[in-house]
Amino acid sequence: MNAPFSRDFWHARAAELLARGIDGRMWIDGRREDAADGQCFDCISPLDGRVLTRVARGQAADIDRAVASARAAFVDRRWAGKSPAARKKVLQDFAAAMRAAREELALLETLDMGKPIQHSLSADVPGAARCIQWYGEAVDKVYDEIAPTADSALALVTREPAGVVGAIVPWNYPMLMAAWKLGPALAAGNSVVLKPSEKSPLTALRMAELALEAGLPPGVLNVVPGYGYEAGEALALHLDVDVIGFTGSTRTGRRMLECAGRSNLKRVYNELGGKSANIVFADFDDLDGAAATAAGSMFYNQGESCNAPSRLLLQEDIADAFLEKLLAQVPQYAPGDPLDPQTQLGALVDATQTQTVLGYIASGLAEGAQCLVGGTRVLEHTGGQFVAPTVFDKVHNRMKIAQEEIFGPVLAVLRFRTEEEAIAIANDSTYGLHAAVWTRNLDRAVRVSRALHAGTVHVNQYDEDDITVPFGGVKQSGNGRDKSLHAFDKYTELKTTWMRIAPR
């Protein structure tokens, strides 16, 4: 018998799942549907190149059907008209259903996009479920306002759901990014059309089924998988969509804004890329801890994280010592079988992304950076998409590997002398998502944190996080915020109701 959650256990579960078959049809109006024209595409696992299933290829006609279903559900108020307490109960049951299905969801996530099963099981499923539950619990605790007017008037400021939300999410955290959109959007009373990445659509489709089973009315959540230039663009251009919540590349984020301008000026909230600076000053005395965090945060999820600390800035006095400790961490991130619970670094999402990452590695070498470790594709005999964790030294901030988001396990190390130089290097980026400062000097920690142009600044840690705090960036890392109560701002409209009070 396979031990619970062993490698053999997960391989056996995967075999059972594939033998049973994975339903790749889209989800419209509370039921599975084929694409209007019958087209499909192969869903290929990056673990070994096998075809997991055929997925319906959503296009403009399918987006029209999904938006019509969402609009009908919103207009008849089958969800928006429920009390906050009633919506809370459904979202709590939805979260509970996700937890009950955690093994299936974790397995789908790992097979579909390559992340280690231990991360899918211990982080992605519980994180997504907690997000759904948290917004459900928050919705009956967010109060409207009465403005301080004269006695002759009563002015109410109320939040109302925006209407139909188009949620477009990336392939690197399919469940979690979907939950970050669905939680606040559904809690506020909106209807949603979710477009998952064509590279990782399976958990989104399963989540829609679980939501219906938990009591979410048909039509309130629709899921249309497909390519960005077809389904995604059709959703962004649709005249009956009120809000787009997008997470993905800066290039596509620009396209979202263009589509809004060409259509109905819908609200667009973009959570985009990053090239986060992780700054270590010489006065920080726990280099072992800082190096372990730098490696763990960089190589987590194969480096396929928008907030990955991919620029490591080291003060010259401790740079060599720090690099020695960092390189000692790298062997534990050797790529391995994602279905093995011991694996810390899995497969890149597909062959295209593998070639992109290898192209950046070649660029770093061509521009004169020094590759200290990695730099190659590995485990090719498996048929999977694996790249060794890679560390470049002797990087300057004008190099391509220091300026562009790689979205793979590639770390660029830059050296600095002074606090002012570190700030200048860190801010010399088109991005502004995350940053970090490591120092024992409290004044410096505050001073540098204030000077960094980033949506989140970590001090003496990286990646510590919670649903209660906002996530998002500045500059070309996007606008608006996911997570926290601030996310309600994206999916609600403020209405003023001014009432004249007649004198006695």
Side-chain angles (χ1 to χ4, degrees):
M1 181 177 292
N2 296 326
F5 304 136
S6 67
R7 180 181 181 278
D8 290 342
F9 170 86
W10 287 113
H11 275 277
R13 286 295 304 273
E16 293 169 6
L17 181 67
L18 293 171
R20 187 169 68 243
I22 300 170
D23 196 337
R25 292 177 295 167
M26 60 187 63
W27 184 263
I28 297 178
D29 206 29
R31 59 185 178 271
R32 292 283 191 166
E33 295 279 1
D34 292 317
D37 63 3
Q39 288 195 59
C40 295
F41 59 88
D42 287 339
C43 182
I44 299 173
S45 176
L47 276 65
D48 52 19
R50 83 176 91 177
V51 176
L52 298 173
T53 190
R54 297 273 288 164
V55 175
R57 181 175 175 172
Q59 299 188 61
D62 305 295
I63 291 295
D64 286 343
R65 288 193 293 158
V67 172
S69 173
R71 177 59 67 187
F74 185 71
V75 169
D76 70 19
R77 296 184 62 78
R78 70 187 70 164
W79 177 246
K82 288 185 180 294
S83 69
R87 295 201 300 271
K88 173 172 70 173
K89 176 63 166 59
V90 172
L91 292 177
Q92 287 176 327
D93 289 347
F94 181 16
M98 290 180 65
R99 293 187 180 103
R102 70 187 188 113
E103 292 176 23
E104 178 190 6
L105 289 171
L107 186 58
L108 285 171
E109 197 87 325
T110 289
L111 290 173
D112 204 8
M113 64 77 54
K115 70 176 61 193
I117 189 67
Q118 63 153 311
H119 297 162
S120 297
L121 189 68
S122 66
D124 292 65
V125 177
R130 171 163 163 70
C131 177
I132 298 294
Q133 180 177 342
W134 191 85
Y135 281 105
E137 291 173 345
V139 71
D140 62 356
K141 301 172 182 66
V142 178
Y143 287 77
D144 293 323
E145 304 169 19
I146 298 177
T149 61
D151 289 346
S152 60
L154 175 65
L156 307 178
V157 181
T158 56
R159 284 186 181 272
E160 296 188 351
V164 174
V165 172
I168 302 175
V169 297
W171 46 260
N172 58 330
Y173 292 95
M175 260 186 298
L176 204 55
M177 297 297 98
W180 283 11
K181 311 299 186 196
L182 294 179
L186 292 176
N190 297 284
S191 297
V192 179
V193 177
L194 173 64
K195 207 295 284 185
S197 170
E198 71 278 5
K199 298 183 180 185
S200 56
L202 300 183
T203 49
L205 292 167
R206 184 69 181 107
M207 286 170 68
E209 288 183 325
L210 294 173
L212 184 76
E213 293 168 9
L216 192 70
V220 176
L221 172 58
N222 304 273
V223 181
V224 182
Y227 294 97
Y229 65 90
E230 293 176 338
E233 184 142 332
L235 188 59
L237 284 169
H238 206 288
L239 292 172
D240 212 17
V241 172
D242 301 291
V243 175
I244 289 290
F246 172 76
T247 298
S249 71
T250 298
R251 176 178 55 82
T252 307
R254 289 193 183 95
R255 190 67 175 164
M256 295 293 106
L257 295 170
E258 292 172 6
C259 289
R262 288 168 52 196
S263 56
N264 60 345
L265 294 178
K266 58 178 64 68
R267 311 286 193 273
V268 174
Y269 297 101
N270 282 328
E271 194 279 285
L272 307 176
K275 196 68 183 175
S276 300
N278 189 17
I279 307 170
V280 185
F281 286 97
D283 64 50
F284 190 76
D285 53 5
D286 182 13
L287 296 187
D288 290 301
T293 300
S297 298
M298 180 61 237
F299 300 131
Y300 186 82
N301 208 50
Q302 301 74 247
E304 296 168 324
S305 301
C306 56
N307 63 327
S310 53
R311 288 186 298 157
L312 177 60
L313 277 58
L314 300 176
Q315 198 157 26
E316 287 184 346
D317 291 352
I318 50 94
D320 290 336
F322 192 97
L323 277 175
E324 182 179 348
K325 296 177 184 298
L326 176 75
L327 294 175
Q329 296 285 325
V330 171
Q332 67 181 294
Y333 299 101
D337 179 3
L339 291 177
D340 185 340
Q342 302 304 311
T343 294
Q344 294 288 330
L345 194 149
L348 298 182
V349 70
D350 64 7
T352 299
Q353 187 61 19
T354 297
Q355 291 308 309
T356 296
V357 172
L358 293 175
Y360 276 109
I361 291 171
S363 170
L365 293 170
E367 290 190 284
Q370 179 184 3
C371 185
L372 300 180
V373 67
T376 59
R377 185 177 177 186
V378 296
L379 302 179
E380 290 188 62
H381 67 280
T382 66
Q385 304 299 323
F386 300 91
V387 172
T390 301
V391 178
F392 277 105
D393 193 12
K394 304 294 191 293
V395 177
H396 63 74
N397 212 38
R398 296 266 55 84
M399 289 182 178
K400 192 174 181 180
I401 60 171
Q403 284 294 315
E404 298 185 15
E405 185 176 43
I406 299 173
F407 236 58
V410 180
L411 176 63
V413 178
L414 302 92
R415 302 178 184 225
F416 67 91
R417 294 181 298 279
T418 66
E419 180 180 310
E420 293 74 19
E421 184 183 5
I423 293 169
I425 293 172
N427 286 337
D428 182 18
S429 172
T430 59
Y431 297 109
L433 190 56
H434 279 210
V437 182
W438 299 78
T439 179
R440 292 301 188 198
N441 184 314
L442 179 60
D443 292 336
R444 169 177 281 160
V446 174
R447 208 167 43 235
V448 176
S449 296
R450 287 176 173 173
L452 292 172
H453 299 162
T456 296
V457 178
H458 304 275
V459 177
N460 297 343
Q461 52 84 23
Y462 202 94
D463 264 352
E464 291 182 17
D465 192 20
D466 192 76
I467 191 65
T468 58
V469 296
F471 183 100
V474 299
K475 299 192 284 188
Q476 292 185 38
S477 287
N479 63 312
R481 293 295 182 268
D482 286 321
K483 298 174 46 237
S484 82
L485 294 178
H486 294 285
F488 281 121
D489 296 339
K490 295 162 54 173
Y491 305 113
T492 56
E493 298 286 3
L494 292 180
K495 174 183 280 186
T496 296
T497 304
W498 187 284
M499 291 181 275
R500 169 65 60 185
I501 299 174
R504 296 187 63 175

